[in-house]
Amino acid sequence: MDESSEYDEKSLRDSAFRLLAMREQSRTELKRKLIQKQWPADMVKRVVDELDNEGWQSDERFAASFIREKVGQKQGRLKILAQVTQQKGVSAQIAESVLDSMEVDWFELCAELKQKKFGDEQPADEKEWSRQVRFLQQRGFTPEQIFACVNRPRR
């Protein structure tokens, strides 16, 4: 390796460290950001692999941090799983493992969100019931969780 490529790799590592110092990054995210800064893709892959092996970058740590934040925002498991895998590039296996280890009561979280958004009153009619169900679906809760906290109006 000649001196200029060694210098480039050191600059690339410095750039990666600056990104990691701001917040945890997934491998996919870190690679994408570095490539957007015009670093060669092969060099980026090599440096990100080194950072992972050295423990500076971790998809597990990133997923735990990201998922904690989303649970705090009262998002459901389905939405969180989709975001962390599709948008952030974390493997489904890692995401599922982190979600399982967090022991979140998704039924309670769904009920808290429903209460915060719609209050204690149950829906007065089918239209209001549908609106509440749609809202909770969009937040990533399962039908089982939603129907446990939103009662269908009596006819």
Side-chain angles (χ1 to χ4, degrees):
M1 184 184 288
D2 66 2
E3 194 176 315
S4 67
S5 65
E6 193 175 301
Y7 172 75
D8 284 352
E9 198 157 310
K10 183 183 179 330
S11 297
L12 172 57
R13 279 181 72 87
D14 290 347
S15 187
F17 276 126
R18 277 193 299 280
L19 289 168
L20 289 168
M22 287 189 270
R23 69 167 177 80
E24 292 286 350
Q25 310 269 337
S26 70
R27 287 177 65 84
T28 302
E29 223 177 5
L30 187 57
K31 285 194 247 185
R32 179 180 44 79
K33 288 178 181 180
L34 292 169
I35 289 169
Q36 283 176 342
K37 292 181 180 220
Q38 308 301 309
W39 290 103
D42 59 331
M43 190 186 295
V44 167
K45 183 185 179 333
R46 188 170 57 251
V47 167
V48 171
D49 286 346
E50 289 170 10
L51 292 173
D52 180 29
N53 291 335
E54 296 165 5
W56 294 106
Q57 187 284 323
S58 164
D59 274 358
E60 290 84 359
R61 258 193 339 259
F62 168 77
S65 171
F66 183 83
I67 290 169
R68 267 192 311 277
E69 178 185 344
K70 296 304 174 185
V71 167
Q73 296 171 355
K74 297 198 184 323
Q75 291 186 10
R77 183 183 178 107
L78 300 175
K79 184 172 185 175
I80 293 171
L81 192 57
Q83 288 174 329
V84 79
T85 56
Q86 295 166 13
Q87 294 173 5
K88 304 299 182 179
V90 174
S91 78
Q93 183 180 4
I94 290 173
E96 290 279 2
S97 171
V98 170
L99 278 164
D100 291 343
S101 73
M102 293 183 84
E103 298 178 12
V104 175
D105 184 342
W106 298 103
F107 287 91
E108 180 64 28
L109 196 64
C110 184
E112 287 173 14
L113 181 61
K114 186 261 180 209
Q115 199 280 327
K116 181 180 177 190
K117 176 79 174 171
F118 302 107
D120 293 324
E121 294 298 312
Q122 289 300 327
D125 56 25
E126 286 287 324
K127 184 177 178 184
E128 178 60 21
W129 179 82
S130 295
R131 189 171 82 88
Q132 291 184 18
V133 168
R134 253 190 330 276
F135 173 78
L136 294 169
Q137 282 175 327
Q138 289 168 347
R139 293 301 290 260
F141 292 98
T142 65
E144 184 183 24
Q145 294 157 354
I146 294 168
F147 299 145
C149 69
V150 181
N151 295 329
R152 193 169 211 136
R154 302 217 183 271
R155 294 175 190 204

